[in-house]
Every structure is written in C-alpha cells, then in structure tokens.
C-alpha cells in the first residue's frame, strides 16, 4: 500500500517534530531494563523508528511493528527492520527479550506476546494523571489513559514495577506545535482539517512563552511486567 501525500506529510511531521518528545520515556524504560548488547527488543507502534534507534545505540537488536505505511516507510529509510504486523512466533526460535508496547490495544498486545521469551519483559505506557498532562486534559486530545495494571492482569503477565517520567512537549512556535500534535492522531481533523488546526492553534496560545515557543508539560506512566 502506497501512502497518500497527506499521510506522508503527517508522518514526516511526526518524525521531524513530535517523536523526540517521548525520548525521556524511552530512555527511562531502557535504563530500568538495563538494555544493552545482546538484547532483542520488539517495539509495537514504533512510528518512524526513534525508539528502535535509541535501543540500537545501546547495542541491542531492535525490530519494530508499525501499521501506518507512511511511518513504516520512514523507519525503513533509517535502515530499520519494521514489520507491518507483529510476528506470530519467534524468528528462527530466537524469542525477544522485551516487548515495548507504549499504548497498546489488548488485541495488539496479545498478538505480539508469543514472540517474547518466558520471563521476558513487557513494557506498557500511557498518559499519567490527567491533572499532570497538558495535552489530553487541557487541549482535549484523545481518550482517558488506559488502566495499565488491568491490562497487565488481563494479559496474564506478572507485574514487575512501574514508574513515571516527565515528558514536556516543547515547540519552537505555534505552527510547529500544531503540526506535531496533529501528527499524533489525537486530534480528529477528518471533518474539517483547517478548522481543527485553527482551534488547536487558539487553544495553544495560553502556553506560548515570550519568545513564541510553546511548552506543554506532561507526565507519562509506564508499567513493566514479565511473561509467565
């Protein structure tokens, strides 16, 4: 499937503006798991591949899963191994040591679990408390945070710790903030994209600094579990 020009532009906004906002979350998780040489990671919804690059920088072997063709194409431009769907079983009997599923659906999580070794880590993450997250609570983007602990229990995983990470979304100006936030898919612009972007720009004005930059503080929560 060939990405449409609009989808390609949105994917590039994600890669060039937005995905770096989650680097503190990725790094905190990798520190917690002590990711390093010899580790094999599988990343669901890896976008344009930044979390895979960070893992590779630590010496790990990382494979991504990304359903969006435009983001998948950008990840492959970075010479990353990215699949359209989770593998149903370990490749060549080499299971993954960790599954990174930062905002998974139960179905996506269940489909990827067979590829993870027994005792391997499964990391889930989502927005933190509403009062600590500017993007969903103040700007009205997206649903309420998932109950990660319930998702762990439902998947039959063994809890093994959790944490919170400060991930501020900082942009050079309102235009780049609108482009970055629209690329997340949190803001439904299907009916009238121009109007949706105008309303989002207006909602961002209270978060502008004197130099025109936009600063949106957020807290993300992650949960680590183990495959039984």
């Amino acid at each position: 499937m060939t990405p449409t020009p609009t989808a390609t532009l949105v994917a590039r906004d994600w890669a060039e503006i937005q995905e770096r906002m989650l680097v503190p979350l990725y790094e905190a998780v990798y520190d917690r798991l002590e990711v390093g040489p010899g580790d094999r990671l599988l990343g669901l919804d890896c976008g344009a591949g930044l979390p895979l690059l960070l893992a590779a920088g630590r010496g790990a072997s990382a494979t991504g899963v990304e359903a969006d063709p435009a983001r998948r194409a950008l990840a492959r431009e970075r010479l990353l191994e990215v699949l359209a769907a989770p593998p149903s079983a370990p490749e060549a009997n080499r299971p993954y040591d960790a599954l990174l599923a930062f905002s998974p659906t139960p179905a996506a999580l269940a489909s990827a679990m067979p590829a993870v070794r027994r005792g391997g880590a499964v990391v889930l993450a989502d927005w933190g408390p509403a009062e600590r997250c500017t993007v969903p609570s103040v700007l009205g983007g997206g649903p309420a945070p998932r109950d990660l602990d319930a998702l762990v229990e439902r998947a039959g995983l063994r809890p093994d710790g959790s944490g919170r990470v400060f991930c501020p979304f900082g942009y050079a100006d309102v235009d780049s903030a609108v482009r970055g936030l629209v690329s997340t898919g949190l803001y439904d612009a299907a009916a009238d994209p121009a109007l949706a972007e105008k309303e989002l720009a207006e909602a961002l004005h209270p978060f502008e600094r004197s130099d025109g930059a936009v600063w949106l503080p957020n807290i993300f929560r992650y949960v680590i579990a183990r495959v039984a």
Side-chain angles (χ1 to χ4, degrees), residues 210-223:
S210 59
D211 61 356
V214 175
W215 185 254
L216 304 171
N218 300 289
I219 295 289
F220 280 77
R221 179 175 184 255
Y222 68 86
V223 171

Side-chain angles (χ1 to χ4, degrees), residues 147 160 177 193:
D147 186 339
D160 191 30

Side-chain angles (χ1 to χ4, degrees), residues 130-195:
E131 67 274 10
R132 303 288 302 280
C133 293
T134 306
V135 171
S137 65
V138 177
L139 302 183
R146 290 180 175 89
D147 186 339
L148 300 178
D149 299 299
L151 191 55
V152 165
E153 182 178 2
R154 193 179 308 127
L157 298 166
R158 175 171 54 84
D160 191 30
S162 64
R164 292 183 178 182
V165 183
F166 180 52
C167 289
F169 289 8
Y171 308 91
D173 50 39
V174 169
D175 178 67
S176 61
V178 169
R179 289 168 54 200
L181 291 168
V182 167
S183 76
T184 66
L186 293 173
Y187 300 91
D188 185 5
D192 188 340
L195 178 60

Side-chain angles (χ1 to χ4, degrees), residues 8-225:
T8 299
L9 287 174
V10 171
R12 287 203 176 277
D13 283 343
W14 170 264
E16 296 172 4
I17 299 173
Q18 190 61 36
E19 68 176 346
R20 66 177 181 268
M21 308 300 176
L22 296 178
V23 166
L25 174 62
Y26 301 143
E27 295 286 19
V29 167
Y30 293 160
D31 285 345
R32 185 76 174 261
L33 295 179
E34 297 182 341
V35 170
D39 290 331
R40 300 188 73 234
L41 278 66
L42 180 65
L44 292 184
D45 299 320
C46 70
L50 181 58
L52 307 183
L53 289 174
L54 294 174
R58 292 169 175 250
S61 173
T63 299
V65 178
E66 177 53 57
D68 180 70
R71 295 190 187 194
R72 192 166 64 245
L74 290 177
R76 288 174 176 170
E77 285 180 11
R78 292 169 164 175
L79 305 181
L80 297 168
E81 181 183 7
V82 181
L83 311 173
S88 58
E91 180 181 341
N93 296 318
R94 293 184 61 211
Y96 291 95
D97 300 297
L99 171 66
L100 310 177
F102 287 113
S103 215
T105 63
L109 183 59
S111 67
M113 291 272 293
V116 184
R117 67 173 174 82
R118 186 173 183 180
V122 176
V123 183
L124 312 177
D126 212 320
W127 300 100
E131 67 274 10
R132 303 288 302 280
C133 293
T134 306
V135 171
S137 65
V138 177
L139 302 183
R146 290 180 175 89
D147 186 339
L148 300 178
D149 299 299
L151 191 55
V152 165
E153 182 178 2
R154 193 179 308 127
L157 298 166
R158 175 171 54 84
D160 191 30
S162 64
R164 292 183 178 182
V165 183
F166 180 52
C167 289
F169 289 8
Y171 308 91
D173 50 39
V174 169
D175 178 67
S176 61
V178 169
R179 289 168 54 200
L181 291 168
V182 167
S183 76
T184 66
L186 293 173
Y187 300 91
D188 185 5
D192 188 340
L195 178 60
E197 291 181 12
K198 179 177 180 293
E199 292 176 345
L200 183 54
E202 291 174 352
L204 287 168
H205 285 311
F207 304 96
E208 281 187 87
R209 295 185 165 184
S210 59
D211 61 356
V214 175
W215 185 254
L216 304 171
N218 300 289
I219 295 289
F220 280 77
R221 179 175 184 255
Y222 68 86
V223 171
I224 297 174

